[in-house]
Amino acid sequence: MQVLVVGAGVVGLAIARTAALRGHDVIVAEATGGIGNGVSSRNSEVIHAGIYYPTGSLRARHSTRGRRMLYEFCASHGVTYRKCGKLIVATDAAELVKVETLLAQGVLNGVEGLEMIGGNAARALESVLACIGALSSPESGIIDSHGYMLALWGELEDRGGSIAFETSVERMSYAAPHWQVQFGGRDAGAVAFDAVVNSAGLGAQALARRIEGYPADKVPPLVLAKGNYFGFAGRPVFSRLIYPTPVDGGLGVHATLDLAGRMRFGPDVEWIDHESYTVDPRRADSFYQRIRAYWPGLPDGSLVPDYCGIRPKLTGPGEKPADFMIAGEPAHGLPRLVNLFGIESPGLTSSLSLAEEVVDYLAV
Ligand SMILES: Cc1cc2nc3c(=O)[nH]c(=O)nc-3n(C[C@H](O)[C@H](O)[C@H](O)COP(=O)(O)OP(=O)(O)OC[C@H]3O[C@@H](n4cnc5c(N)ncnc54)[C@H](O)[C@@H]3O)c2cc1C
């Protein structure tokens, strides 16, 4: 089949590469001038173990399976990663109950190696930590996400696929047996495809609304939850990822490490109504307060505004978190069309597994 994938983020690239490996002719249309310019370049670069998500959900299934696939992919394709492990820390009795609930959830999800440790054992691992107990997750890690996307792109091209940059998908309609797709930008014009995957991240809903005949009530709301990061101006004090207990809309302001040896904190949750990528320095106050709950020694003046990303959520504050949405023909009635909605965290971790499910839909 001639397959069009809309969006060269980590998920679109994983889908394109999987489709090409299965013998399809694949074109990726990307509105910007490069790969990973959307949500995929504005995240924590954490390979999640798969602990938090309700058992049986797409997020649980694809993060645990995707994580195993991702480590294998990194090892076989020379992508830099570090399985550094992570601690989810409890600073009081109420948080300890939450962390124990997470342990039970993670075990149900099939996450390997999870273990509760006491406060002293946690401090033996990370000496500056203040906590009364922690969940240790040895399978969690960090990845060079840009290197990963480059490897996906390389494999796509090896199989004859390509990316059209500065080329946006404007609208499309189905005229059996093809999808007629109208492009704008550098490669403007109309082209026919057998199958289309909408992996446009924050643009997925807008594009779905421009698909002729697509049921309007099947386009879910897009809710924007910005996540701000602050860099730490100093040498890292942790050697593994340190997470507090989750908050509404996010996993809590955690300490993340990157492969260049830097430490940063975030993301928080800022509900917004339009895309904006500035980090308000005044948010530092709440960061100091939250981080000092588990690292009381955080020095004054050590946090500097860094970057931010926007989670493409399907539910808002106080609502039950939505699952990933993979809308294939059974969901909307149009053949060989898959729309992906709400691919927020852990989308990077899940990408290789998600890609297989999406490409399976195209064969139906
Ligand atoms: C703050 C934050 C932290 C996160 N941390 C983690 C983490 O640690 N681990 C993890 O596993 N996941 C994490 N995630 C989630 C992860 O980053 C995303 O799930 C993933 O990057 C989504 O990739 P994508 O390809 O769906 O979207 P994107 O990367 O946004 O790609 C979509 C692309 O589509 C293009 N596009 C849009 N409309 C059109 C159009 N009409 N025509 C052509 N192109 C179009 C855009 O330009 C963009 O490049 C985090 C997310 C956020 C926001």
Side-chain angles (χ1 to χ4, degrees):
M1 286 194 292
Q2 301 270 359
V3 176
L4 171 69
V5 177
V6 188
V10 71
V11 175
L13 289 170
I15 293 165
R17 171 248 183 199
T18 302
L21 287 177
R22 294 210 194 154
H24 299 303
D25 287 336
V26 184
I27 301 282
V28 179
E30 168 53 49
T32 71
I35 60 169
N37 281 337
V39 182
S40 299
S41 60
R42 300 168 164 277
N43 58 43
S44 302
E45 297 192 295
V46 169
I47 301 181
H48 285 291
I51 298 169
Y52 300 90
Y53 320 103
T55 309
S57 64
L58 293 175
R59 293 214 284 171
R61 186 151 53 82
H62 288 305
S63 59
T64 47
R65 183 165 175 269
R67 181 241 310 156
R68 294 176 199 125
M69 293 170 77
L70 190 50
Y71 280 128
E72 271 179 34
F73 183 96
C74 290
S76 61
H77 291 72
V79 176
T80 314
Y81 71 98
R82 190 150 66 85
K83 206 187 263 192
C84 53
K86 136 174 169 175
L87 297 176
I88 308 177
V89 298
T91 58
D92 60 28
E95 286 184 359
L96 198 56
V97 174
K98 286 190 194 166
V99 171
E100 279 164 354
T101 309
L102 289 174
L103 167 66
Q105 183 66 72
V107 169
L108 269 178
N109 290 353
V111 178
E112 306 86 342
L114 295 177
E115 169 187 30
M116 282 300 296
I117 60 173
N120 288 338
R123 264 182 303 284
L125 297 172
E126 300 288 358
S127 59
V128 301
L129 206 53
C131 69
I132 60 167
L135 173 58
S136 164
S137 168
E139 287 299 316
S140 306
I142 51 176
I143 180 175
D144 168 8
S145 60
H146 198 73
Y148 168 47
M149 289 188 277
L150 282 172
L152 293 171
W153 182 12
E155 213 162 38
L156 168 69
E157 289 201 328
D158 286 348
R159 297 289 169 141
S162 61
I163 306 179
F165 290 111
E166 293 173 17
T167 301
S168 59
V169 174
E170 299 297 319
R171 73 190 88 87
M172 54 186 148
S173 57
Y174 185 66
H178 291 121
W179 281 96
Q180 295 295 334
V181 180
Q182 183 67 45
F183 295 99
R186 205 163 73 178
D187 288 331
V191 183
F193 290 89
D194 298 307
V196 180
V197 178
N198 169 5
S199 182
L202 291 162
Q205 278 88 339
L207 179 59
R209 281 191 211 95
R210 298 195 303 265
I211 300 173
E212 201 178 295
Y214 195 85
D217 62 343
K218 299 291 184 200
V219 182
L222 171 65
V223 181
L224 306 179
K226 187 169 159 188
N228 300 282
Y229 292 85
F230 280 77
F232 176 65
R235 289 163 65 86
V237 295
F238 298 116
S239 60
R240 44 181 73 61
L241 305 167
I242 307 295
Y243 280 57
T245 50
V247 297
D248 185 24
L251 298 182
V253 168
H254 42 265
T256 61
L257 306 164
D258 67 21
L259 289 155
R262 286 178 300 248
M263 183 168 79
R264 59 184 185 276
F265 293 91
D268 62 357
V269 180
E270 181 185 358
W271 300 97
I272 54 175
D273 53 19
H274 64 278
E275 279 186 50
S276 121
Y277 292 97
T278 46
V279 177
D280 182 350
R282 287 170 301 184
R283 297 184 82 81
D285 292 347
S286 69
F287 272 68
Y288 281 107
Q289 187 201 337
R290 281 182 245 177
I291 297 161
R292 281 177 177 151
Y294 56 86
W295 177 26
L298 172 67
D300 282 336
S302 59
L303 295 180
V304 281
D306 203 335
Y307 63 97
C308 64
I310 299 178
R311 307 169 181 90
K313 283 184 179 287
L314 304 181
T315 49
E319 291 180 309
K320 184 170 171 266
D323 202 0
F324 292 154
M325 191 185 284
I326 305 175
E329 182 173 356
H332 52 65
L334 294 166
R336 299 183 305 286
L337 168 70
V338 181
N339 284 310
L340 294 174
F341 299 116
I343 311 297
E344 54 144 330
S345 191
L348 163 64
T349 307
S350 305
S351 49
L352 290 172
S353 179
L354 262 177
E356 293 203 337
E357 178 165 341
V358 170
V359 177
D360 285 346
Y361 268 109
L362 301 181
V364 177

